[in-house]
Amino acid sequence: MSEDHSTKFIRIKDNRITSSEGLLFETKGKLESAKFMSQAYKFFGMNYSKFFKMDGLSKAGFITAELLSEKIKIEKNTGLVFSNSSSSLDTDLRFQESMQDFASPSVFVYTLPNIVLGEISIRHSIQSENVFFITEKFDPELMLDYAEIQLKNLACENVLCAWLNLHNNEYDVFLWHVASLEDLQSQRGQLPKIYATTNE
């Protein structure tokens, strides 16, 4: 039986959530990111007590990982390779505003972009390698190069890669699964096309 090399992904952008199989959810009209994530969370019937304490970046990462976990198995040896261009700026600005009255510890804890990796790891009991890159734009080759090193070094058995950007109520999330080294090679050159297509 041949291995299925079709790329499994979840995309969130412009009030829509799509997957490799098609449209999963959309709202009528443009919603600010917090409202959109809350509506999606409720629509899919997710139930996780920490969700409403998370910042926007973590909520977006959480929702995409939850939806992808319905299609692939996320386990303790799944690596995480994420990136974005805005770091945790959205939360940093909220924390700066809160300092004028009372510096909120619950906001401060999210003033690093890699906190989303911890949230996903806790949820799925992941104990593997993870990294969060800050890059100017979506750079799948960087993430695939890093994932390849981790797979070759047996630091993980499969990898979730993501472009996870959120700032000024604009969100652009693209999470995909790398099942193996063979799968990774088949994705080179293919991901920019998938990303561009799902931007339309």
Side-chain angles (χ1 to χ4, degrees):
M1 186 173 164
S2 63
E3 189 177 347
D4 177 12
H5 289 298
S6 61
T7 302
K8 305 284 188 296
F9 70 86
I10 300 293
R11 182 89 157 102
I12 304 179
K13 187 170 172 63
D14 296 333
N15 298 316
R16 304 177 83 222
I17 300 179
T18 56
S19 76
S20 34
E21 286 79 37
L23 180 65
L24 299 177
F25 173 73
E26 70 177 336
T27 60
K28 291 181 180 176
K30 187 173 178 66
L31 298 179
E32 65 178 45
S33 61
K35 285 185 180 175
F36 179 79
M37 299 303 166
S38 292
Q39 285 201 12
Y41 175 85
K42 291 173 185 170
F43 175 81
F44 291 110
M46 295 175 180
N47 184 15
Y48 189 60
S49 59
K50 288 186 67 180
F51 179 81
F52 288 103
K53 296 177 183 174
M54 296 177 187
D55 72 335
L57 205 61
S58 294
K59 285 178 179 175
F62 176 87
I63 288 172
T64 51
E66 287 297 293
L67 294 174
L68 197 60
S69 73
E70 295 174 2
K71 303 173 187 313
I72 56 109
K73 189 171 183 180
I74 300 175
E75 48 204 344
K76 71 176 185 178
N77 291 326
T78 298
L80 302 174
V81 180
F82 284 28
S83 73
N84 75 9
S85 65
S86 60
S87 186
S88 56
L89 186 57
D90 203 61
T91 300
D92 296 347
L93 292 173
R94 285 199 308 119
F95 180 68
Q96 185 180 36
E97 287 174 15
S98 79
M99 290 174 67
Q100 295 179 13
D101 296 322
F102 172 73
S104 169
S106 64
V107 177
F108 175 75
V109 75
Y110 288 101
T111 54
L112 288 171
N114 62 344
I115 299 301
V116 62
L117 303 175
E119 295 286 8
I120 293 171
S121 295
I122 291 168
R123 170 63 171 162
H124 295 280
S125 302
I126 296 172
Q127 300 173 16
S128 190
E129 294 290 319
N130 66 67
V131 65
F132 201 114
F133 293 109
I134 307 300
T135 58
E136 188 175 338
K137 61 184 180 180
F138 176 60
D139 185 351
E141 288 303 313
L142 171 68
M143 288 184 272
L144 290 176
D145 286 347
Y146 193 85
E148 184 173 7
I149 292 168
Q150 298 306 313
L151 289 168
K152 283 184 174 174
N153 289 337
L154 305 179
C156 54
E157 294 178 358
N158 60 83
V159 185
L160 292 181
C161 294
W163 172 252
L164 182 61
N165 209 38
L166 185 140
H167 184 51
N168 283 339
N169 279 319
E170 297 293 327
Y171 43 92
D172 183 6
V173 183
F174 181 54
L175 175 79
W176 76 94
H177 184 234
V178 179
S180 63
L181 280 169
E182 190 178 1
D183 190 35
L184 183 146
Q185 297 307 333
S186 75
Q187 292 179 355
R188 291 193 183 277
Q190 180 192 109
L191 288 166
K193 295 174 190 169
I194 296 173
Y195 179 78
T197 302
T198 56
N199 259 338
E200 294 170 353

